[in-house]
Amino acid sequence: GQQVMQIPQYQHVQEGEDFTTYCNSSTTLSNIQWYKQRPGGHPVFLIQLVKSGEVKKQKRLTFQFGEAKKNSSLHITATQTTDVGTYFCAGPGRGSTLGRLYFGRGTQLTVWP
Amino acid sequence: SAVISQKPSRDICQRGTSLTIQCQVDSQVTMMFWYRQQPGQSLTLIATANQGSEATYESGFVIDKFPISRPNLTFSTLTVSNMSPEDSSIYLCSVKRDLSYGYTFGSGTRLTVV
């Protein structure tokens, strides 16, 4: 299926520092989605980006979709302890795998108070 | 977004036995998806469950090991058959109802095989 690469795998920051995770696909994506999974929880949808070069913000979170629609990033400004969790990007399948969603390996964020 | 009820939330099973996981959605959806998440890992798609037809399995997953039922548009089950400790994992079902919204996940089933 669709392969989406994500880095870094782990990130440890002090509260108040910024955080960024990057996602990259070898093929053009029709859209890219971001999910957050708290420890012990299930993935929760954050946002979907569809347009080339799109930038969306949710409070301290900024999501970008690359011009070529092959990469994306999630940036958190001034992290808080509530930001702890694993952030996944995910890309949809194409052709015979249309409708399916394939996840990157995720970035596990730890925030020290 | 859709609301999904998944059960059981966790179970400890003996090797060689089978466990059936259920997911109930609060509205009709065409496709339901089953994922596996091993500890500290990402989500791996097992199969897509379509109502009225056989499930479509991803590479590395087979029907004999993970039979799926989809009797109607709001319900699906995944069975983990002839379990071994390597099947210890979290299993999640998921649906997508709206084009403009992402996928909704059940709360997951944490399976431990001893």
Side-chain angles (χ1 to χ4, degrees):
Chain A
Q2 172 76 37
Q3 283 218 336
V4 178
M5 312 303 291
Q6 188 175 355
I7 58 168
Q9 188 174 356
Y10 303 98
Q11 188 77 50
H12 308 278
V13 300
Q14 192 136 26
E15 191 172 22
E17 293 182 339
D18 293 356
F19 158 78
T20 305
T21 173
Y22 301 91
C23 197
N24 191 62
S25 169
S26 57
T27 60
T28 302
L29 299 168
S30 60
N31 68 74
I32 193 153
Q33 300 171 34
W34 287 91
Y35 292 78
K36 177 182 179 180
Q37 185 175 26
R38 295 183 185 274
H42 58 276
V44 174
F45 173 71
L46 294 176
I47 208 159
Q48 176 175 277
L49 304 171
V50 178
K51 300 176 184 175
S52 169
E54 188 169 15
V55 178
K56 286 189 176 180
K57 292 192 175 186
Q58 289 179 349
K59 297 183 181 178
R60 294 178 294 103
L61 279 61
T62 301
F63 304 85
Q64 293 189 328
F65 200 12
E67 293 290 341
K69 300 183 74 173
K70 289 185 175 182
N71 56 73
S72 181
S73 64
L74 158 59
H75 179 82
I76 302 179
T77 304
T79 55
Q80 300 175 357
T81 54
T82 53
D83 295 324
V84 164
T86 301
Y87 293 85
F88 293 97
C89 61
R94 302 163 65 98
S96 62
T97 62
L98 191 65
R100 302 170 199 171
L101 191 64
Y102 298 96
F103 283 76
R105 69 185 308 178
T107 297
Q108 186 175 318
L109 173 64
T110 305
V111 181
W112 295 330
Chain B
S1 64
V3 175
I4 303 176
S5 172
Q6 181 174 346
K7 55 183 180 181
S9 58
R10 59 179 64 234
D11 207 341
I12 300 173
C13 300
Q14 296 289 326
R15 67 177 67 200
T17 63
S18 298
L19 175 72
T20 296
I21 303 166
Q22 300 180 4
C23 270
Q24 177 75 51
V25 189
D26 68 340
S27 59
Q28 294 183 342
V29 290
T30 305
M31 292 190 285
M32 291 179 72
F33 306 92
W34 288 96
Y35 286 86
R36 182 174 71 184
Q37 186 176 31
Q38 293 176 315
Q41 302 295 313
S42 184
L43 289 86
T44 301
L45 182 61
I46 297 171
T48 304
N50 306 299
Q51 195 265 337
S53 64
E54 230 174 58
T56 306
Y57 289 82
E58 298 294 307
S59 175
F61 298 96
V62 295
I63 188 171
D64 290 346
K65 176 67 176 176
F66 297 101
I68 286 172
S69 79
R70 184 81 199 274
N72 57 56
L73 291 173
T74 63
F75 186 79
S76 179
T77 67
L78 169 76
T79 299
V80 187
S81 303
N82 188 25
M83 289 184 285
S84 66
E86 291 71 35
D87 295 320
S88 296
S89 192
I90 299 171
Y91 293 85
L92 299 121
C93 61
S94 176
V95 302
K96 180 175 174 61
R97 195 170 64 180
D98 300 310
L99 281 176
S100 60
Y101 198 82
Y103 290 65
T104 301
F105 285 83
S107 53
T109 297
R110 188 177 297 269
L111 171 63
T112 303
V113 183
V114 298

